[in-house]
Amino acid sequence: MLKIIKTGDIVARKSYNQDVIFIVDLVIDNKIAILTGITTRLKADSHIDDLEIISKKEIHNIYKKIDEKIDKISNKAN
């Protein structure tokens, strides 16, 4: 069954253990998605079957973890 992934969806790649969160820039023939990293400066493409849509709650948790990492790093620098 093909998933419906569309431009503007927030996704992650399963094959990379969802290490980077992307926004979908373009979908080609409902098979390939062109992606731009949200928290990492990265462009990529991916087969639709490898993508998983990320919920708003998951996005919030990801940003919270990023903020915590930044706080740890800045506290070490002081």
Side-chain angles (χ1 to χ4, degrees):
M1 180 175 126
L2 281 178
K3 292 182 237 174
I4 298 175
I5 301 283
K6 58 190 180 305
T7 299
D9 283 345
I10 305 297
V11 298
R13 297 176 293 180
K14 292 184 271 186
S15 63
Y16 286 82
N17 295 317
Q18 300 179 337
D19 63 340
V20 177
I21 304 301
F22 295 93
I23 188 164
V24 177
D25 291 331
L26 177 68
V27 177
I28 302 168
D29 296 329
N30 206 27
K31 294 180 182 177
I32 302 294
I34 306 301
L35 311 168
T36 298
I38 292 177
T39 58
T40 303
R41 189 171 153 176
L42 177 67
K43 282 289 243 188
D45 63 357
S46 177
H47 196 276
I48 295 291
D49 289 340
D50 190 32
L51 298 177
E52 185 162 323
I53 294 176
I54 304 298
S55 72
K56 287 183 181 183
K57 183 177 181 178
E58 289 173 294
I59 294 167
H60 177 75
N61 289 338
I62 290 164
Y63 277 107
K64 185 177 177 182
K65 288 179 185 177
I66 291 169
D67 283 342
E68 289 169 358
K69 285 182 184 178
I70 291 170
D71 285 344
K72 278 185 180 180
I73 291 168
S74 66
N75 287 338
K76 286 182 182 179
N78 293 330

